[in-house]
Amino acid sequence: MPHPTSRAVARTRSPWTLGALACALAFPAWAQNTLTVEQLQQRLEALERRVGGAAAAEQGEPNPEPGLADLDQRLRILERKLELQQEEQVAKAKEAPVIAVNDKGASFKSANGDYEIKIRGLLQGDGRFFLDGVPAGNNDTFLLRTARPIIEGSLGKLVGFRFTPEFAGDSASIVDAYVDLRFDPAYTVRAGKFTSPVGLERLQSSSALSDVERALPSELAPNRDIGVQLQGDVAEGRFGYAIGVFNGTVDGRDAVTTNPDNEFEYAGRVFFEPFKNDANALSGLGFGIGASVGDKQGSGANFLPRYRTPGQVQFFNYRAAALADGQHSRISPQGYYYRNAFGLLAEYIVSKQEVSIGGVREELSNKAWQATASYVLTGEDASYRGVVKPSRPFSPGKDGWGAFELVGRYGVLEIDEDAFPLFADPAVSASEASSWTVGLNWYLSSNLKLVLNYLHTSLEGGAAGGADREDEKAVFTRLQVAF
């Protein structure tokens, strides 16, 4: 069927009109290869308007004049060029990388999503103020508690990674440095330095803690260790597991860079969230158990722990002559429940360590437990895995004031009575710490958080003559920026 423009032009009757029209429409051939899609579209529309106008002005001519077929062909060529350039632009858009900057940081992702780099960060500045006297070796102070740039991402569908240095303190260190081989959500292999899968609160991100410092059971759980772990989630995330082999570390601390005693530690965890994807009151329930076992042989801080209060004051340590001399095991039942604005987290842990001194051997069993309850006063959802996201972020001069969360916690850590007086000095080390904390968290936005805590810790023993050490009373504050 002839092009409609050709039919219109076919009715022109003047050679002069055709010649003028051809001159008006002519443009250099090289320009056709350099015009943008928008310019081509404009030229095409101009051609159609001029040809249509010329045809309308010359209606009634029964036969087409010479050159009109060529004009029609040029219109068809322009239309095809326009289609090709549009298709090329669509193809390039599909191949272009995706760059995003939002409240979760910055990310750079390939068009197909297989390659990605995320840049995030955590900054925590604290104020510590002790009441009724300052414990020995501690001062009222401001400090930079955490300064961590976080780099993570994926290298194809198989490989994921995370690298987190720490710049707070007197020297830089590495917090996380690991690679994930993601064969399937049900079985991923992780290798490097990361948190050992034992303590519930230890596995919680520092930015998501309800209080300024972790509770007493975290003093008995291992922190970050170096090793290899198999982990996964099945049944749509209702069941998770992790099992690995590590260099081994003392209670409550990171592992050293090497394996000083040539002994390995084996750790694992199973966790259930049976109603995770259900829209009912139990959807936020999770419970499980973590454990570890291994041998330790040696003396000093790399083999035997020192325990601190939530105020970060040391209240127990072994005598210098004591040796880690045999099996070290931990077991920790744990769970949480989050429902709308309410949150509850609880855990119990037992750490058993074989020790010796002067030929005398003993297996000491230290125990701790804690319960933390929280309630978001402004009605936003509470969560184990993340901070509260205000529905109305703080905005000076406007109605938004952010979100407010009230927190209460109680915990106890008990030292095995057989530790005294042979393995620990009762005039220096307390046999029990009982601590409670109340706090108010103000989430100005999803990135900015202000924390105010009052901490009170009672200690049994730990003073001259075996008397009780004075209660520790402190106010801790924190400004946190996380993205």
Side-chain angles (χ1 to χ4, degrees), residues 7 24 26 30 106 115 121 146 153 160 194 227 250 269 278 280 291 303 305 413 481:
R7 290 196 299 268
W30 60 266
Y115 293 85
T146 303
F194 51 94
V250 299
R269 178 177 184 256
D278 299 338
N280 58 42
F303 300 95
L413 193 158
V481 177

Side-chain angles (χ1 to χ4, degrees), residues 241-263:
Y241 73 92
I243 183 169
V245 56
F246 302 89
N247 282 347
T249 183
V250 299
D251 292 346
R253 301 295 178 268
D254 289 353
V256 294
T257 56
T258 60
N259 188 5
D261 60 355
N262 201 34
E263 300 285 354

Side-chain angles (χ1 to χ4, degrees), residues 20 38 50 64 67 82 85 109 129 180-181 203 284 309 329 332 337 346 355 365 385 388 394 421 439 468:
E38 292 77 8
R50 292 182 182 184
L82 180 61
Q85 290 200 25
K109 184 188 299 185
F129 311 99
D180 286 340
L181 300 179
L203 289 167
T309 67
S329 64
S332 176
Y337 177 69
V355 297
S365 180
R385 292 179 176 84
V388 174
F394 177 73
D468 293 344

Side-chain angles (χ1 to χ4, degrees), residues 154-176:
S154 57
L155 303 174
K157 294 181 179 180
L158 178 62
V159 180
F161 67 91
R162 180 169 181 169
F163 177 70
T164 307
E166 174 65 84
F167 294 107
D170 297 329
S171 60
S173 60
I174 302 299
V175 177
D176 291 313

Side-chain angles (χ1 to χ4, degrees), residues 335-464:
Y336 58 67
Y337 177 69
Y338 289 89
R339 173 66 173 172
N340 299 329
F342 175 76
L344 177 64
L345 182 149
E347 61 183 321
Y348 175 81
I349 186 168
V350 179
S351 176
K352 295 182 179 181
Q353 173 75 64
E354 292 183 354
V355 297
S356 66
I357 190 169
V360 179
R361 293 174 57 86
E362 189 72 54
E363 182 184 66
L364 302 179
S365 180
N366 301 326
K367 306 172 184 177
W369 66 271
Q370 69 107 348
T372 301
S374 61
Y375 188 80
V376 183
L377 301 174
T378 45
E380 290 84 353
D381 289 341
S383 170
Y384 168 79
R385 292 179 176 84
V387 298
V388 174
K389 187 172 183 178
S391 57
R392 301 172 67 186
F394 177 73
S395 180
K398 298 182 180 179
D399 294 336
W401 281 93
F404 293 89
E405 180 183 35
L406 188 63
V407 179
R409 181 176 72 192
Y410 186 79
V412 177
L413 193 158
E414 300 176 356
I415 305 298
D416 194 319
E417 61 182 14
D418 291 335
F420 304 97
L422 181 60
F423 300 100
D425 185 355
V428 175
S429 297
S431 61
E432 181 177 310
S434 302
S435 180
W436 57 270
T437 302
V438 293
L440 179 66
N441 300 329
W442 182 14
Y443 299 89
L444 287 83
S445 69
S446 58
N447 302 109
L448 180 60
K449 174 183 176 182
L450 298 178
V451 183
L452 175 64
N453 283 177
Y454 174 77
L455 309 88
H456 190 119
T457 303
S458 300
L459 300 165
E460 292 187 7

